[in-house]
Amino acid sequence: GEVERVLSMVDGVLLLIGGLVLGCGQERPDFPVASDGILDLSGWDFEASGTVDLSGEWRFAWNQFVEPAPTTLLREAHTDTVMVPSIWPNARPGRPETERLPTVGYGTYLLEIILPDSVPSDRFSLKVRSSTSATHWAIYGEEADTRLGYFQQGRPGASRDESLAVWTAGVADVGLAKSNRIVLIVHASNFRHARGGLESAPRLGLR
């Protein structure tokens, strides 16, 4: 009767929706995740799959504003790691309580990014979300001889008087690097808010 016909139509619609959701889940690739301060995006298809969250394990230097240097030197000098996104007290999961970072302070995040060989770096832009911390984002080539892009959220500093946090999002276009490796150096400080650190991961995508 009419009830059976309606129920059959509902079942058909539910099956169709389920198939579409399952199909989308199967087609969507897993996002790469940074490990020990390196994020390998050389196999990522930005045209087909879109932007990538730069999340995972970044290198980190607490109570230091690290200056640009060749990637090999940065990695030799700064071996500590934290998770992004995360507030500072939660940024070292699985480590002893004595190694837990405080809410206030300052430091430098470091991430080496390997881009696809077929896509020059000046086709990319870095998308930064608003932050409770004052931050300065800078992009360099692996030799750090030229700054390829930057974005600033307020003014990070080593003390409350030296810093100024500004809640704003923005975009930094990336210049042309000499190789397919770029380095992201982020100075961050927090002396005014209960949640210091990078609560949101930046995103990298085509312009």
Side-chain angles (χ1 to χ4, degrees), residues 58-79:
W58 292 44
R59 289 290 179 95
F60 186 70
W62 183 243
N63 283 342
Q64 297 180 59
F65 284 144
V66 175
E67 293 300 317
T71 305
T72 52
L73 297 181
L74 289 177
R75 291 186 60 80
E76 288 174 4
H78 308 289
T79 58

Side-chain angles (χ1 to χ4, degrees), residues 115-125 174-177 179-180 182 206-207:
L115 300 172
D117 282 324
S118 59
V119 187
S121 63
D122 60 355
R123 288 195 58 200
F124 291 95
S125 63
V174 183
L176 184 60
S179 72
N180 70 326
I182 59 174
L206 299 175
R207 295 188 188 182

Side-chain angles (χ1 to χ4, degrees), residues 29-30 32 39-46 49 52 114-117 180:
D30 292 332
L39 181 56
D40 188 352
L41 300 179
S42 59
W44 184 258
D45 188 340
F46 283 90
S49 303
V52 177
I114 307 173
L115 300 172
D117 282 324
N180 70 326

Side-chain angles (χ1 to χ4, degrees), residues 133-157:
S133 298
T135 56
H136 179 272
W137 305 73
I139 308 160
Y140 293 88
E142 60 181 330
E143 295 302 319
D145 48 357
T146 305
R147 190 175 70 181
L148 304 176
Y150 79 97
F151 178 73
Q152 196 146 335
Q153 294 167 303
R155 183 181 65 250

